[in-house]
Each structure stands twice: as structure tokens, then as C-alpha cells.
């Protein structure tokens, strides 16, 4: 019978046990998650890639910081976008060339130690002070270069963002830079000019050292040639002589040490000088300590700003290393997006300054993964290293260079939006595993702010995690076979993956009975497609897995191309085609007996052969389709070019026609203006001429009247006839001729216009106004009757 107290104790113990169990389960899940993530990074060789990228950092702190950053894949989508924006800004700085983010001359570790010592008021060393000087000077130079660049063009401020803010926030004490430069020499030693006490003490040491040297020389000369002097030494700051112990010597002094070949003696006459020299050196050390302590206190005043500059420069070094790696290997800026958001508009607006892309991206709604011509980064690095080594080896022949490691073959991964599982088949050593690693590394590189090594622009969804089960996972410590190791790994992946994860499975269903392995593989892939991760890519040799595409649209087939003529893989991915077995055909080409080949084909079965024939036909159709598609694309490009050319020609013709029209109108307008100007000018001249003629006629008439009167008077006086009386016919003839030529013309008459120097035809006559309308070429002019002369 339980007591109340015992009963209560039992009841109260349940919650405690439940909490402990829950905590243990949580810890176990956390450990398992960390383990599966670590294993995935390891099999993808992410650690090797991290080391490669980190080698582009120019400071030791930058290399460590970049390794830590790359190894930590626990970041959000927005953080990945920010990392890519930083990398883009560093690439822009590389292109511009004025702001160099190279800090190889800075000993960051030594500067960090000096900052820590100054914070604790521990005197900094000369080397640490010089490291701080290099740090501040680099920050000042970088900030000045950036300001000069922005002054040239304001748009550089935004193109270098967010690095612009980091650099412009430097708080630099330039007076401290001058103080350190005045006190500390380039080699980290303290200058004599650092303080008067130090200069005086060092001069005293120099004087005493010369005295001791002179004393030693005199002792050696006085000893003569009987004693074998081996050398003059300075032991613990005291000058002494090492002599041959096998010969006699007259030196009187202190025996400091003795060996089989010689003895070290401090002459008695040198003891006072050595004592004085040691005291002087003590004064030098004290003066140097005082200088460094004063300098430490000055550094301490700005220690927070200096530490911020150090952290910022390390951050810039990390960013520059990522950018330099991408530029060095010809990487492409990846466009990352979240499939559950409205396309990738946020990424596009965030990464508008992508100038490293090599072409337009396809419609975002069409592809969930667009990775054309992507290289495995480690293979590409290995190829470059081997090629460089071969070129540097002078003894290598041309033939050996030709046989060097071939250029890695890029892979194309174009995955449509509705695809969730890709099944890749193909021969062994055909490149299936390399394809898996290439996709996995590309996804993590984009997530980590690195450029993806692809010759074209890429589009990659942001994956929260990349899980991989690749290689032989046999575990002897846990008594697990290869098959069991794979199952345990896949089970952990299934538990940890989300709908935003990428899962890579190599040789799924392998390591056991083929029928059971195929059934298990189909079940696993269907579960991943139904409620698993965002994208699963699996390689297999099981033919049954190829049929999943025809019953589930979430599946897609791909295979590794194999050159049956040369009996070697091409490492190219063929999409939409399941791989087929080439073992029997390869064996036949390699010369295996025909009896064995025939028996193998019979055992393989006619149905399997028919399937292979169907696959062969599908491959041919696929190749024909791609050829026709390529041809259609070519002609489409040609037609687009011709259409563009026609539109351009049409536009030029329209522009030319308009230009001619306006030119003609302008010419007519200018001619009319000139004609009006000429007419107005002639009219003014004719008006002036008419006035002068009128005045002249009046004058003549007045003169004529006067003359007539005079003649009449003379006739009356002299009784002689006048000229008029004597020649009346001539006067009458002249008057008649003048009247005929100055009369009003008729319509159709041809008259002469003296102002134009032309003959014109009369069109209209207005007698009341004394005006006529004439035709002069293409122009019609209205003139006064007095302006013309009848012919």
C-alpha cells in the first residue's frame, strides 16, 4: 500500500522525467542535425573549396574569418542576398581599379595584439606599433581613394554600396599616424629622435662601445703573436676575448668559460668599461620603455576606433577574397530566389548591378534551376594548377603538354518548375557523381555570396540546407554495412530536410538485392517528391526508376552520354532520356567471344533488348529534336536580324523623306524670302528714282519755260525766229516717241524691267492705280507702270 507521500512523490516525478526526456531528445536531434550537415559538407568537399576561396584573402585574420563564414551555412535568404551584393560591389571596385582592397602589407594578427595590449595599458612593442601604423595608413588611403572616385562621378557611391558605408565610416586619427611614424622605424625599432633621453643614452652606449673595442684591440696588439686569439665575443652584454687554451697567455682577467679548444676571458681592464656599458644600456632600455608606454597611451585613446577599423578591413578582405575568386575563375553572378515568393522580384531589385552576367536569364516561371555550362570548382582548379605546372616545367615536351589533363566538361542543369525529382542514369565513371557535387556546390556557393563557375548567367533557388549521401558510408564502429550506412544517412536526411532543401542521393537503392533495392529506391524518391524537399537529384543503375517519369510528372529523367565509338563517356548530360545499358555492346567491341555475347543477350532477355531499342529510338528522336531546335533557333535569329534590319531601313527611309521634305520647304522659303527682299529693295530704289525723275522733270519744265520766255523776249527784241519755231517737226517727233514707250501696256505684252534686267509678260493691268501684274519665270510680280519699258 502506497502512502500519500510516496504517491505524491511518484506523481510529481512524472513531469520531471518528461522534461528530462524531452530535453535529451531535443539535444539528440540537434546533435543529429549537426552531424548530417557536417557529413553532407564533407562528402561534397566543401572544406576543400572553403580553403581554396580563403587563400584569396590577403590577411591571416581574413583567411580565418572567411573559412568560418563559408563553413557556417546557417543563414537566411536576406543574408545571402546581402553577401552577394557585397561581392558585386567588390567586383565593381576591381573593374574601376582606383580603390584597391589589398591588405597584404598589414600584419593583422600583430595589429590585433597591439590593440589588445593598448586596451589593457600594456606597452606595445615596436612591431605592434608599426602594424597599427600600417593599418591606419591603409584605411586612410582607401578612404581618400574612395572620396576621389565619388568626386569624379556620384553614381560610384551607389555602385560600391554597401562597401561605401563601411569605408566612409572609418574614424582615422591622422595625428596618431604621424606620431607613430616619427617614433617607430620601418623595421619596428625605435628611432633616436623618439625622445632626448633615448638619444643621449644611445650616444653614450656608442661611445663606450668604441672605447671597449679600442681596449680589446690594444690588448691583442700587446699580447703579440705568441698567443692564438680565436675571437672577440660579447657575452651577455660584456666584451671578452676567447683564446686558445693550449697556449700560454698573459691576460689577467675573469675566466667566464672554458672548453677543450679555448677559454673565454674578460680582461680586468675591460671590467669597468663593461659595467658602465651595461648601465648605459639599461638607460637605453628605460628610455625605450618610456617611449613605448607614451605611445601606448596615445593608441589607447583611440583604441575603439582602431579596433573598428581592423574589423572593417578584415571584413573588406573577406569580401574582396570572394570577389577575387569569382573573377579569377570567370564566375557568374547567381540570381537566387525563393520559389514560394512572387518569382524573384526581390532578388532582381536587390541585385540590379550584375554586370558580370553573360546573357539574359530565361523566364523565371519556366525554370526552378537554370545552371548552364557549370563547372565543378575543384576540378577546374586542379586543371588550372596542372596546366600551370606543365607550362612552368621547362623540360616538358610539347607532346607531354598535349597529353595534359583535359579541360573539365561543363554540365547543364535546366530543371523546370514542376520537377521535384531528377533520376540520372549512366555508366560507371560517367560523371554522375560529379554532376551531383557540381549542383550541390553551386547551391552553397550562391548561398554564401560566391560567384558560380558557369559561363552563362545562372538562376538558383535559395536552399535552406543541402543534404548529400554520396560515396561509401560503411561504418565499422557502428557495425553497419555499406547498404545500412546509406539507409541511416538517407533516414536522417528525410527527418532533417524541409520543403526548401536540396537532397543529393548517389546510387540510391544500391548495395542489396537489385529487385528490393529498386523497390526501396522508387518508394524513397516518391516520398521525396510527394512531401519532401524542394528538389531531389538521384543517380542509379536500377532501370525501374526510369519509369517513374511516365507515371508522375514531378519526375524527370537524365542520363550521362556515352561515346560508343570510342568506348568512353563524354560527361555530358542528356535531358529527358533514360540511360541504357552498354555493357554487352562494350564487351562485344572489346573482343569478348561471340558465344559469351550471345548467351548474355539471351539471358538479358528480349524484353530488355526491346526497351533498349526504344531508348535508342528516343535518343535519336531527342538528338533530331535538338538539331531541328538548333536549326530553328538559327533561322529565328536570322529572321529577327532581317526584321530588325528592315525596320531600321524603313526608319531611315522615313527619316530621309522627312528630311528632304523639310529641306525643300526650307529652300523654297529661303528663295521666297530672298525674292521678297530683292523686290522690296528694287521697289524702294524705283520709288527713290521716280521721285528724282519727277523733280528732274519739274526742273526741266521750269527751265524750258524760262528759256521760252527768254527766247520770246529776244525775238521781240531782235526780230529773229527761235529754235522751236525753226524745228517744230523735231520737237513733235521726240515727244511722240517718249509717249509711246512710257504708255500703259496691254495684257500679253512683253515689257522690260530694268531693275531685274529681264523681259516679262504682262498678266493684268490696273490703270486706275498705275500697276501691272507680270510673270517673271516662276514668280509673279506686281510693279508700277513707271518701272517698266515697253518694247
Amino acid at each position: 500500500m502506497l502512502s500519500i507521500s510516496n504517491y505524491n512523490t511518484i506523481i510529481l516525478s512524472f513531469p520531471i522525467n518528461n522534461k528530462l526526456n524531452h530535453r535529451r531528445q531535443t539535444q539528440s536531434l540537434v546533435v543529429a542535425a549537426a552531424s548530417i550537415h557536417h557529413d553532407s559538407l564533407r562528402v561534397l568537399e566543401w572544406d576543400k573549396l572553403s580553403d581554396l576561396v580563403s587563400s584569396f584573402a590577403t590577411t591571416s585574420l581574413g583567411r580565418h574569418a572567411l573559412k568560418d563564414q563559408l563553413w557556417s551555412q546557417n543563414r537566411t535568404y536576406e543574408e545571402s542576398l546581402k553577401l552577394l551584393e557585397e561581392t558585386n560591389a567588390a567586383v565593381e571596385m576591381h573593374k574601376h581599379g582606383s580603390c584597391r582592397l589589398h591588405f597584404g602589407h598589414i600584419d593583422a594578427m600583430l595589429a590585433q595584439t597591439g590593440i589588445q595590449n593598448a586596451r589593457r595599458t600594456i606597452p606595445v612593442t615596436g612591431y605592434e606599433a608599426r602594424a597599427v601604423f600600417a593599418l591606419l595608413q591603409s584605411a586612410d588611403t582607401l578612404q581618400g581613394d574612395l572620396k576621389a572616385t565619388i568626386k569624379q562621378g556620384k553614381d560610384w557611391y551607389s555602385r560600391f554600396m554597401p562597401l561605401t558605408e563601411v569605408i566612409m565610416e572609418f574614424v582615422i586619427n591622422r595625428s596618431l599616424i604621424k606620431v607613430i611614424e616619427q617614433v617607430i622605424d620601418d623595421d619596428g625599432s625605435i628611432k633616436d629622435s623618439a625622445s632626448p633621453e633615448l638619444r643621449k643614452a644611445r650616444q653614450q652606449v656608442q661611445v663606450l662601445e668604441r672605447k671597449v673595442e679600442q681596449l680589446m684591440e690594444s690588448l691583442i696588439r700587446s699580447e703579440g703573436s705568441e698567443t692564438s686569439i680565436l675571437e672577440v665575443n660579447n657575452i651577455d652584454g660584456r666584451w671578452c676575448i676567447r683564446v686558445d687554451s693550449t697556449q700560454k697567455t698573459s691576460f689577467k682577467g675573469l675566466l667566464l668559460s672554458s672548453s677543450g679548444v679555448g677559454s673565454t676571458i674578460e680582461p680586468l681592464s675591460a671590467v669597468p668599461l663593461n659595467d658602465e656599458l651595461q648601465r648605459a644600456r639599461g638607460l637605453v632600455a628605460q628610455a625605450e620603455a618610456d617611449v613605448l608606454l607614451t605611445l601606448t597611451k596615445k593608441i589607447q585613446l583611440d583604441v575603439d576606433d582602431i579596433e573598428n577599423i581592423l574589423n572593417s578591413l578584415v571584413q573588406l578582405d573577406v569580401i574582396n577574397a570572394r570577389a577575387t575568386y569569382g573573377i579569377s575563375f570567370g564566375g557568374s553572378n547567381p540570381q537566387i530566389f525563393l520559389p514560394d515568393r512572387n518569382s524573384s522580384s526581390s532578388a532582381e531589385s536587390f541585385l540590379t548591378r550584375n554586370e558580370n552576367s553573360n546573357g539574359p536569364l530565361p523566364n523565371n516561371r519556366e525554370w526552378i534551376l537554370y545552371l548552364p555550362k557549370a563547372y565543378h570548382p575543384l576540378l577546374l582548379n586542379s586543371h588550372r594548377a596542372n596546366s600551370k605546372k606543365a607550362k612552368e616545367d621547362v623540360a616538358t615536351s610539347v607532346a607531354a603538354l598535349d597529353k595534359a589533363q583535359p579541360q573539365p566538361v561543363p554540365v547543364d542543369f535546366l530543371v523546370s518548375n514542376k520537377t521535384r525529382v531528377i533520376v540520372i542514369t549512366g555508366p560507371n565513371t560517367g560523371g554522375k557523381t560529379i554532376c551531383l557535387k557540381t549542383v550541390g556546390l553551386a547551391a552553397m556557393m550562391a548561398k554564401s555570396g560566391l560567384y558560380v563557375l558557369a559561363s552563362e548567367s545562372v538562376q538558383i533557388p535559395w536552399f535552406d540546407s543541402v543534404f548529400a549521401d554520396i560515396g561509401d558510408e560503411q561504418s565499422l564502429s557502428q557495425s553497419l554495412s555499406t547498404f545500412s550506412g546509406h539507409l541511416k544517412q538517407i533516414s536522417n536526411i528525410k527527418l532533417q530536410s524541409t520543403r526548401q532543401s536540396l537532397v543529393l542521393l548517389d546510387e540510391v537503392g544500391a548495395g542489396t538485392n537489385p529487385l528490393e533495392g529498386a523497390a526501396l529506391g522508387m518508394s524513397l524518391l516518391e516520398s521525396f517528391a510527394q512531401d519532401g524537399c524542394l528538389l531531389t537529384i538521384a543517380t542509379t543503375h536500377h532501370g525501374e526508376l526510369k519509369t517513374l517519369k511516365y507515371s508522375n510528372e514531378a519526375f524527370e529523367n537524365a542520363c550521362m552520354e556515352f561515346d560508343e565509338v570510342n568506348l568512353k563517356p563524354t560527361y555530358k548530360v542528356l535531358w529527358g532520356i533514360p540511360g541504357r545499358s552498354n555493357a554487352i555492346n562494350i564487351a562485344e567491341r572489346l573482343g569478348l567471344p561471340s558465344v559469351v555475347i550471345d548467351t548474355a543477350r539471351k539471358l538479358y532477355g528480349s524484353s530488355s533488348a526491346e526497351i533498349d531499342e526504344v531508348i535508342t529510338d528516343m535518343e535519336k528522336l531527342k538528338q533530331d529534336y535538338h538539331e531541328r531546335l538548333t536549326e530553328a533557333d538559327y533561322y529565328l535569329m536570322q529572321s529577327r536580324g532581317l526584321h530588325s534590319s528592315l525596320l531600321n531601313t524603313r526608319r531611315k527611309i522615313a527619316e530621309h523623306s522627312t528630311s528632304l521634305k523639310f529641306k525643300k520647304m526650307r529652300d523654297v522659303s529661303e528663295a521666297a524670302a530672298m525674292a521678297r527682299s530683292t523686290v522690296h529693295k528694287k521697289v524702294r530704289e524705283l520709288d527713290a528714282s521716280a521721285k528724282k525723275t519727277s523733280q528732274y522733270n519739274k526742273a526741266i519744265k521750269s527751265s524750258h519755260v524760262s528759256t521760252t520766255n527768254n527766247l520770246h523776249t529776244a525775238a521781240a527784241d531782235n526780230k529773229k525766229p527761235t529754235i522751236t519755231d525753226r524745228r517744230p517737226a523735231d520737237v513733235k517727233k521726240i515727244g511722240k516717241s517718249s509717249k509711246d514707250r512710257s504708255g500703259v501696256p496691254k495684257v500679253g505684252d512683253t515689257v522690260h524691267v530694268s531693275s531685274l534686267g529681264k523681259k516679262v509678260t504682262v498678266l493684268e493691268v490696273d490703270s486706275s492705280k498705275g500697276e501691272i501684274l507680270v510673270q517673271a519665270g516662276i514668280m509673279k510680280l506686281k510693279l508700277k507702270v513707271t518701272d517698266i519699258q515697253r518694247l
Side-chain angles (χ1 to χ4, degrees):
M1 183 176 178
L2 293 173
S3 64
I4 296 298
S5 59
N6 289 338
Y7 180 78
N8 290 338
T9 302
I10 293 174
I11 293 298
L12 292 174
S13 68
F14 278 116
I16 297 175
N17 289 335
N18 288 337
K19 289 181 179 180
L20 289 175
N21 291 334
H22 179 70
R23 185 178 302 170
R24 289 172 182 171
Q25 290 177 357
T26 303
Q27 291 176 351
S28 177
L29 290 175
V30 171
V31 172
S35 176
I36 190 64
H37 280 285
H38 181 274
D39 291 341
S40 297
L41 295 178
R42 177 181 54 81
V43 297
L44 290 173
E45 299 179 287
W46 181 248
D47 53 340
K48 295 180 181 179
L49 182 58
S50 298
D51 292 340
L52 173 61
V53 178
S54 300
S55 66
F56 285 86
T58 56
T59 65
S60 56
L61 292 181
R63 286 188 287 273
H64 289 299
L66 184 52
K67 283 184 182 180
D68 293 340
Q69 183 187 83
L70 293 175
W71 193 254
S72 175
Q73 290 292 310
N74 186 22
R75 60 177 59 91
T76 63
Y77 169 70
E78 286 73 17
E79 289 172 344
S80 295
L81 287 177
K82 183 178 179 181
L83 291 176
L84 281 174
E85 189 185 27
E86 293 172 349
T87 305
N88 288 336
V91 170
E92 288 291 330
M93 284 190 172
H94 272 274
K95 292 179 180 179
H96 189 273
S98 63
C99 301
R100 297 184 69 249
L101 299 176
H102 189 277
F103 311 111
H105 60 287
I106 300 176
D107 192 334
M109 290 287 290
L110 207 57
Q112 186 182 51
T113 303
I115 293 171
Q116 293 173 352
N117 289 338
R119 189 178 293 278
R120 293 177 294 191
T121 322
I122 298 175
V124 299
T125 64
Y127 302 106
E128 294 168 354
R130 196 68 194 183
V132 172
F133 167 79
L135 174 70
L136 296 177
Q137 192 178 49
S138 296
D140 189 32
T141 302
L142 180 59
Q143 191 179 72
D145 292 341
L146 179 60
K147 289 180 179 179
T149 302
I150 295 174
K151 191 175 181 180
Q152 294 175 358
K154 294 183 179 179
D155 59 325
W156 290 111
Y157 184 93
S158 58
R159 294 180 68 175
F160 291 164
M161 286 291 290
L163 304 189
T164 307
E165 289 182 347
V166 176
I167 297 172
M168 298 302 287
E169 288 177 355
F170 290 163
V171 180
I172 305 168
N173 188 347
R174 292 178 178 81
S175 62
L176 179 59
I177 297 177
K178 293 181 180 179
V179 169
I180 298 176
E181 189 176 19
Q182 292 170 357
V183 173
I184 307 299
D185 214 337
D186 293 339
D187 58 356
S189 61
I190 303 174
K191 295 181 178 180
D192 293 344
S193 57
S195 71
E197 294 79 7
L198 179 60
R199 183 190 297 275
K200 182 179 179 182
R202 284 181 174 175
Q203 289 175 351
Q204 185 178 1
V205 168
Q206 291 173 359
V207 171
L208 292 173
E209 284 180 344
R210 284 195 295 269
K211 287 183 179 180
V212 174
E213 289 174 0
Q214 293 172 0
L215 175 62
M216 293 298 176
E217 290 176 359
S218 64
L219 290 175
I220 293 172
R221 286 195 300 268
S222 63
E223 183 67 16
S225 60
E226 297 179 357
T227 304
S228 178
I229 305 293
L230 297 180
E231 58 185 350
V232 176
N233 290 334
N234 189 330
I235 300 177
D236 296 332
R238 303 186 72 85
W239 289 91
C240 54
I241 297 176
R242 188 166 179 265
V243 298
D244 189 351
S245 59
T246 61
Q247 298 185 19
K248 294 182 179 180
T249 179
S250 60
F251 281 142
K252 294 182 180 180
L254 303 176
L255 180 64
L256 300 181
S257 64
S258 179
S259 63
V261 295
S263 301
T264 302
I265 299 173
E266 181 184 7
L268 291 176
S269 56
V271 171
L273 285 175
N274 279 335
D275 292 340
E276 190 174 357
L277 184 59
Q278 284 190 329
R279 288 193 295 270
R281 285 174 176 160
L283 294 175
V284 170
Q286 182 61 45
E288 289 178 347
D290 293 340
V291 169
L292 291 177
L293 182 60
T294 303
L295 185 59
T296 301
K297 291 180 179 179
K298 291 182 179 180
I299 295 175
Q300 190 180 39
L301 295 175
D302 299 300
V303 68
D304 291 333
D305 294 334
I306 298 173
E307 189 171 32
N308 290 336
I309 292 175
L310 175 62
N311 295 334
S312 297
L313 288 187
V314 170
Q315 179 188 358
L316 293 173
D317 190 27
V318 168
I319 297 170
N320 182 63
R322 298 200 307 261
T324 307
Y325 169 77
I327 295 172
S328 176
F329 284 88
S332 175
N333 180 18
Q335 180 186 357
I336 60 174
F337 65 99
L338 283 176
D340 58 347
R341 296 189 180 183
N342 293 329
S343 183
S344 57
S345 57
S346 57
E348 290 176 349
S349 62
F350 207 83
L351 300 174
T352 54
R353 293 184 296 277
N354 176 19
E355 295 185 359
N356 194 51
S357 60
N358 303 308
L361 285 169
N363 189 347
N364 292 321
R365 298 177 182 177
E366 182 179 357
W367 307 104
I368 192 173
L369 176 64
Y370 185 80
L371 193 63
K373 295 179 176 59
Y375 290 92
H376 188 290
L378 296 179
L379 283 183
L380 190 59
N381 177 65
S382 177
H383 169 73
R384 288 195 175 187
N386 292 336
S387 300
K388 184 179 180 181
K389 184 178 179 181
K391 291 178 181 178
E392 291 176 351
D393 189 0
V394 180
T396 303
S397 63
V398 177
L401 285 174
D402 294 337
K403 295 180 180 179
Q405 183 180 359
Q407 174 77 19
V409 179
V411 296
D412 297 313
F413 267 83
L414 314 178
V415 184
S416 63
N417 255 330
K418 60 184 179 181
T419 302
R420 287 294 173 266
V421 178
I422 301 172
V423 179
I424 304 177
T425 54
N428 289 326
T429 69
K432 300 190 300 296
T433 304
I434 293 297
C435 286
L436 290 183
K437 291 185 177 181
T438 301
V439 175
L441 290 175
M444 290 193 295
M445 290 169 71
K447 183 179 179 180
S448 303
L450 294 172
Y451 277 14
V452 177
L453 304 191
S455 56
E456 296 183 13
S457 299
V458 299
Q459 176 177 290
I460 301 178
W462 182 85
F463 297 105
D464 59 358
S465 298
V466 177
F467 298 103
D469 174 43
I470 299 174
D472 186 2
E473 293 302 317
Q474 187 176 22
S475 178
L476 298 178
S477 61
Q478 299 182 22
S479 301
L480 295 175
S481 64
T482 300
F483 179 70
S484 301
H486 280 293
L487 283 184
K488 185 176 184 298
Q489 184 81 348
I490 294 174
S491 176
N492 290 333
I493 290 174
K494 184 67 176 163
L495 290 173
Q496 298 296 329
S497 63
T498 67
R499 299 189 68 84
Q500 198 64 39
S501 301
L502 171 65
V503 174
L504 308 172
L505 304 177
D506 190 27
E507 300 295 348
V508 62
T512 186
N513 178 277
L515 294 177
E516 291 182 342
L520 185 60
M522 293 176 69
S523 178
L524 279 172
L525 295 183
E526 285 180 338
S527 67
F528 276 113
Q530 182 177 358
D531 56 359
C533 55
L534 177 62
L535 182 62
T536 301
I537 305 177
T539 66
T540 184
H541 282 291
H542 294 299
E544 292 81 356
L545 272 64
K546 308 172 188 177
T547 63
L548 291 171
K549 173 185 176 181
Y550 307 107
S551 60
N552 191 338
E553 64 176 5
F555 282 78
E556 179 60 86
N557 283 333
C559 70
M560 305 306 298
E561 187 180 46
F562 188 81
D563 186 357
E564 295 185 5
V565 176
N566 298 313
L567 299 180
K568 62 180 182 180
T570 64
Y571 305 106
K572 294 181 179 179
V573 182
L574 300 178
W575 288 92
I577 301 175
R580 61 189 180 90
S581 175
N582 295 288
I584 298 177
N585 294 333
I586 293 172
E588 184 178 17
R589 290 178 179 272
L590 293 176
L592 208 63
S594 59
V595 177
V596 177
I597 298 297
D598 293 339
T599 304
R601 282 177 175 158
K602 290 179 182 178
L603 294 174
Y604 185 59
S606 60
S607 60
S608 299
E610 291 175 358
I611 293 175
D612 282 345
E613 290 179 2
V614 171
I615 293 174
T616 303
D617 293 338
M618 291 177 63
E619 287 182 356
K620 291 181 180 179
L621 290 173
K622 186 79 172 181
Q623 291 176 356
D624 291 342
Y625 167 75
H626 279 296
E627 290 177 359
R628 299 288 178 85
L629 183 62
T630 303
E631 186 179 3
D633 288 339
Y634 171 77
Y635 286 120
L636 180 61
M637 290 178 62
Q638 291 288 331
S639 63
R640 285 178 176 172
L642 291 173
H643 182 256
S644 177
S645 178
L646 287 174
L647 290 178
N648 191 28
T649 304
R650 178 183 175 185
R651 178 181 56 80
K652 288 183 178 179
I653 291 174
E655 291 176 354
H656 184 66
S657 176
T658 305
S659 177
L660 287 178
K661 182 179 179 181
F662 280 111
K663 185 176 182 301
K664 186 175 181 180
M665 293 174 62
R666 185 173 61 253
D667 292 344
V668 171
S669 177
E670 290 177 355
M674 290 178 62
R676 284 193 298 270
S677 176
T678 302
V679 169
H680 289 313
K681 180 178 179 182
K682 293 300 181 181
V683 168
R684 287 194 298 271
E685 292 178 354
L686 290 174
D687 289 341
S689 177
K691 290 179 180 180
K692 290 181 180 179
T693 302
S694 177
Q695 293 175 357
Y696 178 72
N697 290 335
K698 288 180 181 180
I700 290 177
K701 185 176 181 180
S702 176
S703 176
H704 180 68
V705 172
S706 176
T707 303
T708 302
N709 293 333
N710 292 334
L711 288 176
H712 282 294
T713 304
D717 294 339
N718 299 321
K719 303 296 184 176
K720 293 181 179 180
T722 63
I723 295 176
T724 305
D725 293 335
R726 287 187 291 177
R727 302 188 64 182
D730 292 340
V731 175
K732 183 177 181 181
K733 184 178 179 181
I734 293 172
K736 182 178 180 181
S737 175
S738 177
K739 182 178 180 181
D740 291 341
R741 297 189 64 180
S742 61
V744 178
K746 298 179 181 179
V747 175
D749 289 351
T750 301
V751 297
H752 181 269
V753 181
S754 58
S755 61
L756 298 178
K758 289 184 179 181
K759 295 179 180 180
V760 298
T761 303
V762 179
L763 299 178
E764 294 180 5
V765 178
D766 190 351
S767 301
S768 61
K769 295 183 179 179
E771 295 178 346
I772 61 173
L773 181 66
V774 299
Q775 179 79 36
I778 61 172
M779 296 185 296
K780 294 181 180 181
L781 303 175
K782 184 175 287 188
L783 303 174
K784 295 287 186 179
V785 176
T786 57
D787 296 339
I788 64 171
Q789 292 179 358
R790 297 181 62 186
L791 299 178

